[in-house]
Each structure stands twice: as structure tokens, then as C-alpha cells.
Amino acid sequence: MAAYILRRLVSTIAVMAMVGIFIFLLLRLAPGDPAALIAGEMAREETIASIREQLGLNEPVPVQFGNWSLRILGGDFGKSIFSQRPVLELISQRLEPTISLSILTMIVSVTMGVSFGILAAWRAGRLIDRTLTVFATLGFSVPVFVVGFFLVYLFAIRTHWLPVQGYKPIDHGFRPWFVHLILPTVTLSIPYTAFIARIARASMLEVLSEDYMRTAAAKGASPYAMLFHHALKNAGVPILTVIGLSFAGLIGGVVITETVFNIPGVGRLVVDAINNRDYPIIQGVLILVSGLYVLINLSVDLSYTLVDPRIRY
């Protein structure tokens, strides 16, 4: 196990190095002068020259990449072009809404998705199975922003049960924090619940058709023991894989959801940075998100041994 983790960490460093090269070249390979793109069409030459100096664009590209890499390794992600504040400071101020939304979404998605998948597999071919299959198909097909606007219209505008948009920090009280996250969480969790439910159903059906499951039933094993003690453990690897993919895929969903519900999270920060062409913020967020994605994949791979003892690294 230790040797496998070491190999994965080495490969992780290689992956992050390639990601760093891509993110660095993203600005340098953009058509036109990056400083002119940031400054805008009506900017004066003095402004463009100041931005070029600030970004280090007057140096040769290898020197620029070396200096940029050293700053990143030292925890310096640069400063925002427009606010002149450190990028890490801006990101840290937006982390709480994004983390809150992501954690609640994954709790709802995993709980409901695995439960729906197990129930559909146990009652395969019956009404409950067909109903959950239709839900999974629709939930995975309808865009997140369409679901968000529909829920806002139904539960905020028509009934006034929930706030339309915004976010309340948890230090303002648990209830305001939770109430403001209900609609965004439901909106974002629907496609991931559907995705997890479909994979869980398929994995459980495959396991339930095995000979050892029929033997357990013949020996008088209870439905609970068959489903959770025998079937779920053997179907756990594909389910864990799709949960890891869903958690990583939250990155894109959070951007859309935070925009729809006006949540001041990292997703909104990225959208604002793109609109303002604030490349240091975009680069900083991409690097952090890429690192998180790699760590999630490593954690999922290591968790396989917990559900399937036959897997050894």
C-alpha cells in the first residue's frame, strides 16, 4: 500500500506539473496581447505597459514560467488585476458558501442516490423501479439552470416558502444558513442523485443475479442482510467510483448554481473574473481545483480496499 501511494503521489506531481504548464500557457497563447485583452479596447498605452510589467510579460516565456512556478510553489498566486488584492485572500473569502453547498449536495446525492438505486434493483421491473428510472433519466437530462429557475418560481416566487437567492454565513445562525441553501442544494443534487442511482441500480442488479445471492436466499437470509451485507458490499466499487466522479463534477455545477441563486462563492468569483478578464484569479482557481480533483481520485482509489478485500495495491 505504501509503495502504491508513493507511486500515485509521484504521478500526481507529474499531472499537476502538466496542469501548471497548460494554465500558464492559457494566458500566453491567447490571441493578441494579453495585457491589451485585460486592459480593454479603450485603454491607453501606459495602462497596457503597466499591466505587462505587472504580469512579467516583458521577460522571455521560459523565464516567465520559471518565476510563475516558483511563486505558486511558495503559495503566492499573485494579485487580482482589478482589486489588487491577493488571489488566495479572495478565494478564501468565497470558500464557505461553496464548501457548504458542495457538502450538503453530496450528502443528499449519495444518500438519496444509493437508496433509490438499491430500492429500484430490489424491485426490478415493478412500478417503483420504473418510476425511479424515469426520475433518474429526467434528473440527469434536464439542465441544472432549468431546474433552478423552476424551483425558484415554485417555492420562492409563488409560495414564498424559501428565499429567492443569496447566502447567509453559518455564524449568522444555523436556520438562515440552512434555509438559504435548500433550493441550491436540491437544484444541484438532482442530477447527481440521478447519476448515482442509475449506477447503483445497475451494480446491484448484477450482484443480485449472482449464484451466491440465490444461495443466501435459499438459506433464509433476510432481505436486509441480502441487500446490505452481501449485495451492497460487492457492488460498492462502481458506486464509490461514481460518487468520486460526482464530487469532482460538482465544480462545474457549483458555478452555474451559484450564478442562478446569486451565492457569493468560488463559482461566482470565477464568473466575475472571466467577465473582467482577471487572469490571476482564473489561474489560481484552476490550479486549486485541479489539485482537489487529483486528490479526490486518489482517495477514491484507496477507498476500494475498504469495500472489497480482494483489492490489494
Side-chain angles (χ1 to χ4, degrees):
M1 176 67 77
Y4 173 78
I5 295 176
L6 181 61
R7 290 196 303 269
R8 286 299 304 268
L9 289 176
V10 172
S11 65
T12 297
I13 295 174
V15 169
M16 290 304 300
M18 290 186 290
V19 169
I21 294 174
F22 171 78
I23 293 174
F24 173 79
L25 294 178
L26 185 66
L27 173 61
R28 272 67 182 178
L29 296 181
D33 185 355
L37 290 174
I38 294 172
E41 298 179 356
M42 306 301 294
R44 296 183 299 178
E45 287 296 329
E46 295 81 0
T47 304
I48 297 176
S50 175
I51 294 176
R52 289 185 61 85
E53 184 67 27
Q54 180 180 349
L55 295 178
L57 296 177
N58 295 323
E59 301 287 343
V61 173
V63 175
Q64 294 180 37
F65 179 73
N67 294 334
W68 180 78
S69 301
L70 290 176
R71 290 197 302 269
I72 294 298
L73 292 175
D76 181 9
F77 285 73
K79 293 184 178 181
S80 167
I81 296 295
F82 294 91
S83 68
Q84 291 299 311
R85 297 172 61 188
V87 171
L88 280 182
E89 178 184 332
L90 294 173
I91 295 176
S92 63
Q93 291 176 350
R94 303 291 191 99
L95 277 179
E96 183 189 327
T98 300
I99 292 176
S100 300
L101 178 58
S102 300
I103 291 177
L104 287 179
T105 298
M106 286 310 301
I107 291 174
V108 173
S109 300
V110 173
T111 303
M112 301 299 292
V114 174
S115 301
F116 287 167
I118 294 174
L119 181 59
W122 181 245
R123 299 299 181 186
R126 301 186 183 182
L127 178 61
I128 185 64
D129 177 33
R130 291 193 291 269
T131 302
L132 292 176
T133 301
V134 170
F135 162 77
T137 303
L138 290 176
F140 194 64
S141 303
V142 179
V144 172
F145 68 91
V146 174
V147 176
F149 287 134
F150 173 76
L151 293 179
V152 167
Y153 174 77
L154 182 61
F155 293 103
I157 298 177
R158 288 294 300 272
T159 62
H160 303 285
W161 290 350
L162 297 170
V164 176
Q165 57 184 8
Y167 174 79
K168 293 292 184 182
I170 195 168
D171 55 9
H172 289 189
F174 178 81
R175 187 179 183 279
W177 171 82
F178 182 73
V179 168
H180 279 80
L181 284 175
I182 290 177
L183 284 183
T185 299
V186 173
T187 300
L188 190 55
S189 65
I190 286 178
Y192 297 109
T193 298
F195 186 36
I196 295 172
R198 293 178 64 178
I199 301 301
R201 177 185 180 276
S203 300
M204 290 291 292
L205 282 176
E206 182 179 354
V207 172
L208 289 172
S209 64
E210 296 290 341
D211 291 338
Y212 61 82
M213 294 301 298
R214 288 190 286 269
T215 301
K219 289 183 176 181
S222 66
Y224 179 87
M226 290 183 61
L227 286 174
F228 295 97
H229 183 68
H230 298 291
L232 186 57
K233 282 187 176 181
N234 289 281
V237 171
I239 296 175
L240 278 177
T241 301
V242 76
I243 290 175
L245 292 174
S246 298
F247 194 82
L250 276 176
I251 299 167
V254 163
V255 172
I256 299 174
T257 306
E258 288 183 352
T259 303
V260 172
F261 292 96
N262 194 28
I263 297 176
V266 176
R268 279 295 305 277
L269 178 65
V270 173
V271 172
D272 294 340
I274 293 174
N275 292 332
N276 295 327
R277 297 173 180 174
D278 202 334
Y279 286 97
I281 292 179
I282 300 173
Q283 290 177 327
V285 172
L286 286 177
I287 291 174
L288 295 177
V289 167
S290 301
L292 178 62
Y293 191 93
V294 172
L295 290 177
I296 290 173
N297 286 335
L298 176 60
S299 301
V300 170
D301 289 346
L302 295 178
S303 66
Y304 290 159
T305 58
L306 300 177
V307 298
D308 192 341
R310 296 170 297 180
I311 298 178
R312 288 290 182 267
Y313 296 116

